[in-house]
Amino acid sequence: SAVPGSAGFQPASHSHERHAGETPALPETPLSEGGTGAQAYADAVATYLAFAVDRGADYWSTIATWSPGGFIRGTFARQAVPMTWDFAEGNPFSSSTGNWSRCVGWIVRVLERVSAHSPGHATQLDATAVFPFEGPCVVSTDPPYYDNIGYADLSDFFYVWLRRSAGGLYPQLFSTLLVPKAQELVATPHRFDRSTEAAREFFEEGIGEAFDRLRQVQADDEVMTVYYAFKQSERDQENAEAASAGWETMLTSLIGSGFLITGTWPLRTERGARPVATGTNALASSIVLVCRPRPEDAPMATRRELLAALREELPEALDQLTQGSIAPVDMAQAAIGPGMAIFSRYSKVLEADGSPVTVRAALQIINQELDAYLARQEADLDRDTRFCIDWFTQYGMEAAEFGQADVLARAKNTSVQGMVSAGVLEARRGKVRLLGRDELAEDWDPAADHRMTVWECTHHLIRELEQEGEEAAGGLVARLGSGISESARSLAYRLYSICDRKAWSDLARDYNNLVVAWPVIQEKAASVGVGEQARLIE
């Protein structure tokens, strides 16, 4: 307890003086070398504080902005460093958002949930090189998303701070001035003299080698899981069929390395309130592909046999996905799993001329079958709704000539005037258009509607959900009954696919939100039903 300058104070080094005959004290092993003593403990505390410094850097940069929730949104609200016209300036010494204590608090929350009884180990390895272990292993991986995210470039923001705060603790990890980038497995053209082709070849070769290595160590009696939250967004210019270079390259390498895709697990991993999802049709789920080693004696098939198998087996798998209320925005990605499960069980699929069917062609076939599946749902809908779907596909919410509407209505065995009376169309001055959800009758009562359509029910549900919330939407579902409500949900999938194909983002988001909220809406509807029964009993 003595202080410097007092009679009882001695320099700390005096306590470590060695007397004659004593064995010199061995230095403790640091954490980076597997130590567990006092030195390693101090290293661990310093590491956690370094993480907190990195969180502070994220909050205190001039890229940080205000979130609508009234708190600071960090630099990396998305996987980029965007230009910001106005930034939120956090005070690290305050008690408000972005302070130092809160940065430390986030690290503490993680540590509180870490089990001391199940320690983990992290090792930095090159997935394309020979692994230092032989296996067998259980592999779960989240591969890079082609050219979508430059992980190494983004990591520099945090690396420069970690190198100053924790570089002495982990000298091997921080031996370079910036994050190494030459071997990063992404198809980034600017690293190859802006050559897209060279970047593609680098990525294809690298991810092929990586899956080859994983196949060597993967246990034959276990599954490998591959996480992939990458949206199919590209379209072939000739036939407008969806195809994604990221999905195509990843699946080609996966199948070429001898893996068989046996299933798909859509997992809700993406936060709906994240900035990249605000006002957009961003993915709500990560798609987990379940893979096993393909048997050596897998048979070959023709394109005709592949189509026959898809048409027989894919609808049942899609039924399971829709019954699970997977978001429409995730449907195309989720359908890849059961579709590629059929394609990958063959050693080779051949075209009529003997050439192999490529993964890109298989993805386009799967997307065609998905569109056909959604279109077949129309057969169970009322004739007015079938008219509305076709009219919506051609004109959206815009007006068109009355004569065209009359021809289509006759083909659907309905009439323009009848649908005007039903409250779904407007016909004025020789023009016809669909009514938007905000134009539907506010005092609409399904029990009193003598010409009720699934189209109208769907858009009333969307309006209730948007304006009044899930409880109000649940009350409407309880009044409509399960049959019509399920038809409305199925229609939302169909209309989303049309909007996605037409790039009508705002309309697509409405249908996507209805399906995403459906499980909660059903719970609210069930509680309304229970409450009504109790009231009748009383």
Side-chain angles (χ1 to χ4, degrees), residues 1-11 14:
S1 61
V3 296
S6 67
F9 173 77
Q10 289 184 341
H14 289 186

Side-chain angles (χ1 to χ4, degrees), residues 298-315:
M300 292 194 302
T302 63
R303 183 188 181 100
R304 182 186 295 273
E305 289 174 319
L306 173 64
L307 279 170
L310 284 171
R311 288 169 181 169
E312 180 180 353
E313 301 175 36
L314 193 57

Side-chain angles (χ1 to χ4, degrees), residues 137-143 211 214 218 223-227 265 267 288-289:
C137 302
V138 177
V139 178
S140 183
T141 182
D142 187 359
F211 280 128
L214 294 177
Q218 170 68 23
V223 298
M224 179 177 77
T225 52
V226 180
Y227 293 73
W265 298 338
L267 299 181
V288 184
L289 299 177

Side-chain angles (χ1 to χ4, degrees), residues 35 70-71 190 281:
F71 55 86
H190 75 260
N281 293 320

